[in-house]
Amino acid sequence: MKPFNQWPLFLVPVVVIMMGTVVNASSTSGTISGTIKDNEDRPLVGAVIRIFNDSEQEAILKTVTDKNGRFLASNLSPGNYKLKAIASGYKPVEVAQANVIPLRNTIFDLKLEKASSLLTAEQQRDSYKYILRRNRTIFQWDEQEYIAEKKPFIRETHGFINFTSSKSFSSHPFPINSSNLNFALAQMLNEDVELVIAGQTGLAVNSPQRIDVKASLSHNDDHKVELAIGYGQLPTISPGIKPITRDINQYTIRAIDKWRVSGPVVIVYGFDYSHFDGAKQSNHFAPRISLDLQVSPNNQLFAAIYSPDGADIESSTEFETTKVDFKGPVELISLVPQPTVENSQRYEVGYSHTFKDRSRIETALFWDKISNRTIPLVSEESTETQQADSNLTLNTISQTGEAKGVRVIFSQPITSNLSTMVGYSFGQGQELGFSATGQPMVSLGYFQVFTGKVNAQFLSTGTKVSAVVRLASPNALLAIDPFQKQMRMLDPNFSVYLTQSVPMFGFVPGRWEATLDARNLLDVKLGDNQTKVAIAQYWRTIRGGFSVRF
């Protein structure tokens, strides 16, 4: 890591502004609390309370009742709010005027009447049994709303299973047609501790092979500690007639504390440690530090230092306090001259604002340090050879350097079931170049990336569709996604992701979904007429499967 006196100058003014804002942050917020009970005066556990700004239709804060039916919503700026209470099997109740006074607690004791046995779409969305409450209790990095929650202790075991099968329709140096299995089990040990076991396995050379054990501790609303240990195998590649797939063993430890220091100020600190068997750099330690300041319900400042994971997200699930992301194809490690694991880091600062119509804009400056990233390459001649006799001649180059840039993301909900998001990023980074003799190399260059995303859901059929278009400068080597995976897909042109709820009519337990994931439909690749980059995200791939939550 560079000393502070060698950091890029563009970080200095933003950090100064953020420090000044923290010092002057107001401490005159108020709270809303109360109880939710049924008509027989029994407390309702797990009822969802949404709080709205007087002029907005989307909740700015959400909380859940505890085992005694009590709830608390804190850090509210003075003013008028609307309150809505929802519980599975009960009719929602609204409070049109909830006045928050500085340093005062406003109390509401509400009673809900029983509804029909069928859940409404809104109640299903907030039911703790299937959707499972959001895990942004004291910190929200990529959410469009400021959400805080009080969660009741419910002793249930939850699980998630995801099975996918993929088929590639691109030229590639080794087969990626594969079947993968992702799974996770979660158990609340008590009101404060959740234990999660998650794993991945698959048949392809670059399929993730991992098992992780995670524990989440939420002793109070000001601290959330996450601990994780894991084991995985990383795929390797070697130039030659055929790729060598000897795996490197990886042992990981992660510790993170999300700490609400005071009011709207949240600091996240911790580390990621990895030990690699068989690699040149056998130990890797990466600090994680971030600052999140909610200046007001609509304005947020943030800064962070972290080591991002370059792998795409194949699927994800959320439990009581823990979110689990399952990786897609893993990037390869070169065996020549000797195995060296990628060691990259991002420094960023930014600002986001939410408008009254629920649209949101985010802008950030970022500086990436990239080290020892393997870029596998394959030539057109070797592809023809593969079709003839399954022999390959591969080449690899190493990417080391830095990238500096700016990103802007704007999201706009059109209706309650349709939303859009656009992003633009530009800066100086690295690109794939070729010498006078045609040898591939990494060179300095400038990049631009435009991406757009449309999300749609159809409640009547249980269908969700995401379509993403992404246009980038030719041959730009973006080791770290400029948009921090907010667009979900890293593919270079056009992709579609579809999920469909599958009714089981009570015969089979759990909530089932079928998925169809079509990536890189235009089959855009990096390189020239002879040599192409063989990174998984540049393959045209169709992936289908199913998932179940229970």
Side-chain angles (χ1 to χ4, degrees), residues 45 50 77 101 104 109-110 117 128 170 200 245 252 294 332 338-339 373 387 442 449 456 503 509 537 547:
V45 180
R50 294 178 175 179
S77 300
I101 302 173
R104 295 284 298 275
D109 295 321
L110 306 176
S117 59
Y128 69 84
S170 296
Q200 291 186 266
T245 58
T252 59
Q294 201 81 27
L332 305 177
Q338 53 185 315
R373 183 193 184 205
Q387 295 173 350
V442 176
V449 183
Q537 71 188 64
S547 63

Side-chain angles (χ1 to χ4, degrees), residues 160-166 176-184 198-212 231-235 247 314-315 325-330 543:
F160 174 82
I161 299 174
N162 172 243
F163 175 82
T164 61
S165 181
S166 62
I176 65 165
N177 304 329
S178 179
S179 298
N180 296 330
L181 176 66
N182 306 320
F183 66 90
Q200 291 186 266
T201 187
L203 301 179
V205 172
N206 59 340
S207 292
Q209 306 282 352
R210 281 200 66 82
I211 185 74
D212 293 278
Y231 167 77
Q233 291 184 329
L234 302 180
D247 292 323
E314 184 174 84
S315 62
D325 290 325
F326 298 101
K327 301 177 184 178
V330 180
R543 182 186 297 125

Side-chain angles (χ1 to χ4, degrees), residues 408-455:
V408 179
I409 301 175
F410 178 77
S411 60
Q412 173 69 66
I414 308 301
T415 68
S416 59
N417 299 321
L418 179 65
S419 63
T420 60
M421 183 180 293
V422 294
Y424 176 71
S425 179
F426 67 92
Q428 184 184 57
Q430 295 177 306
E431 63 183 11
L432 178 65
F434 296 89
S435 65
T437 60
Q439 293 299 314
M441 61 182 181
V442 176
S443 59
L444 186 67
Y446 294 88
F447 67 87
Q448 295 186 77
V449 183
F450 169 81
T451 184
K453 180 180 180 181
V454 176
N455 291 326

Side-chain angles (χ1 to χ4, degrees), residues 267-286:
I267 294 177
V268 179
Y269 60 95
F271 66 88
D272 291 307
Y273 171 77
S274 294
H275 173 76
F276 303 94
D277 279 349
K280 178 181 178 181
Q281 296 173 325
S282 59
N283 297 290
H284 173 51
F285 179 87

Side-chain angles (χ1 to χ4, degrees), residues 209-349:
Q209 306 282 352
R210 281 200 66 82
I211 185 74
D212 293 278
V213 179
K214 304 179 181 181
S216 176
L217 297 81
S218 303
H219 181 64
N220 54 47
D221 287 342
D222 294 330
H223 278 278
K224 178 183 176 183
V225 178
E226 296 178 0
L227 303 173
I229 58 173
Y231 167 77
Q233 291 184 329
L234 302 180
T236 57
I237 189 171
S238 175
I241 300 300
K242 290 186 178 181
I244 298 175
T245 58
R246 180 171 62 87
D247 292 323
I248 292 178
N249 296 320
Q250 179 188 23
Y251 305 88
T252 59
I253 300 175
R254 170 179 291 184
I256 299 175
D257 180 19
K258 300 178 181 180
W259 174 28
R260 183 181 296 279
V261 180
S262 175
V265 182
V266 175
I267 294 177
V268 179
Y269 60 95
F271 66 88
D272 291 307
Y273 171 77
S274 294
H275 173 76
F276 303 94
D277 279 349
K280 178 181 178 181
Q281 296 173 325
S282 59
N283 297 290
H284 173 51
F285 179 87
R288 298 173 65 94
I289 304 173
S290 67
L291 169 67
D292 182 80
L293 171 62
Q294 201 81 27
V295 181
S296 69
N298 297 330
N299 295 281
Q300 180 182 1
L301 295 172
F302 58 88
I305 302 173
Y306 61 97
S307 294
D309 190 337
D312 197 5
I313 301 300
E314 184 174 84
S315 62
S316 62
T317 187
E318 294 187 22
F319 296 106
E320 295 287 331
T321 61
T322 306
K323 181 180 179 182
V324 180
D325 290 325
F326 298 101
K327 301 177 184 178
V330 180
E331 292 192 8
L332 305 177
I333 298 173
S334 176
L335 289 174
V336 176
Q338 53 185 315
T340 305
V341 179
E342 179 183 352
N343 181 9
S344 300
Q345 203 159 40
R346 167 165 287 185
Y347 306 80
E348 71 175 14
V349 291

